[in-house]
Amino acid sequence: FKLGQASESVFEELLQASGLTRSQITYVAATGYGRFTVPFRHSQITELTSHAHAAVHLFPGTRTILDIGGQDIKAIRVDGSGHVRAFRLNDKCAAGTGRCLCAASDALEIPLGELGPLALPARNPVTMTTTCTVFAGAELRDRLSLGEKREDILAGLHRAIILRAISIISRSGGVSDEFTFTGGVAKNEAAVREL
């Protein structure tokens, strides 16, 4: 299977399972790194526009969206119809994204899903000097070797990630009205608390 053929096959299976026909589908949106492998996608629908419309559909009062995923951070300002009015993305680096938490998980040999709960009881979050995915693991191990408490280190990492996200929100025009937090990092309790 080539990727284009695979997407076509999945689409046909979805049509059959739903009882719909192609003529009943207005358009197909494809997002993410594999979007170009979907030859029948609507090329004007992007990850940003899909995200904006979905957030407003689920939460009609939403006007500001923060999405922290595995590789990027998006701050999106929308109108009541879900149209993008302003946005900012992180640079090409994965600093401050879910990938940074994955690196911490690997460096500390702690399952990814446990990072948030372990950070919650922290009393003195440490100030992290980096959210760089490459260097964060080394800084975490250094801080452990200096006797810092694991929960304080993890809380400091979560705070650094959210501070980076807030700077991106600020550059998009700040928060207005209802705020929606999405992406894999939104499932992390410590990140939500820091936000």
Side-chain angles (χ1 to χ4, degrees), residues 7-9 11-12 15 20-26 28 40:
S7 62
E8 188 70 44
S9 176
F11 186 53
E12 288 299 326
L15 288 172
L20 296 172
T21 65
R22 279 185 184 259
S23 63
Q24 293 173 295
I25 305 298
T26 305
V28 172
F40 49 88

Side-chain angles (χ1 to χ4, degrees), residues 6 11 18 24-25 39 49-51 55 64 70 83 93 95 99 105 109 133 137 145 152 159 166 175 180:
F11 186 53
S18 67
Q24 293 173 295
I25 305 298
T49 57
S50 295
H51 214 93
T64 306
H83 294 105
C93 168
R99 182 65 195 117
S105 170
E109 298 178 356
T133 302
S145 70
D152 290 340
R159 180 169 290 167
I166 287 171
V175 175
T180 301

Side-chain angles (χ1 to χ4, degrees), residues 77-162:
R77 291 179 50 115
V78 297
D79 65 19
S81 299
H83 294 105
V84 175
R85 294 295 170 221
F87 70 91
R88 288 291 181 267
L89 307 172
N90 60 316
D91 50 27
K92 295 180 192 251
C93 168
T97 67
R99 182 65 195 117
C100 188
L101 291 172
C102 289
S105 170
D106 292 345
L108 299 177
E109 298 178 356
I110 298 171
L112 182 62
E114 292 180 24
L115 293 181
L118 287 171
L120 289 175
R123 296 193 193 272
N124 300 302
V126 301
T127 300
M128 299 295 292
T129 60
T130 185
T131 56
C132 172
T133 302
V134 174
F135 297 118
E139 182 174 358
L140 295 172
R141 286 189 299 273
D142 288 347
R143 290 187 172 275
L144 276 174
S145 70
L146 293 172
E148 301 274 4
K149 292 182 179 178
R150 182 172 64 171
E151 62 267 21
D152 290 340
I153 296 167
L154 291 172
L157 176 64
H158 285 85
R159 180 169 290 167
I161 288 169
I162 294 303

Side-chain angles (χ1 to χ4, degrees), residues 29-111:
T31 63
Y33 293 113
R35 68 187 174 276
F36 298 112
T37 65
V38 181
F40 49 88
R41 78 190 183 288
H42 188 295
S43 62
Q44 298 302 309
I45 305 297
T46 67
E47 188 168 342
L48 286 170
T49 57
S50 295
H51 214 93
H53 284 289
V56 171
H57 175 76
L58 293 171
F59 307 104
T62 293
R63 295 299 176 270
T64 306
I65 304 161
L66 171 64
D67 176 60
I68 305 179
Q71 297 294 325
D72 58 21
I73 302 170
K74 293 183 278 298
I76 311 167
R77 291 179 50 115
V78 297
D79 65 19
S81 299
H83 294 105
V84 175
R85 294 295 170 221
F87 70 91
R88 288 291 181 267
L89 307 172
N90 60 316
D91 50 27
K92 295 180 192 251
C93 168
T97 67
R99 182 65 195 117
C100 188
L101 291 172
C102 289
S105 170
D106 292 345
L108 299 177
E109 298 178 356
I110 298 171

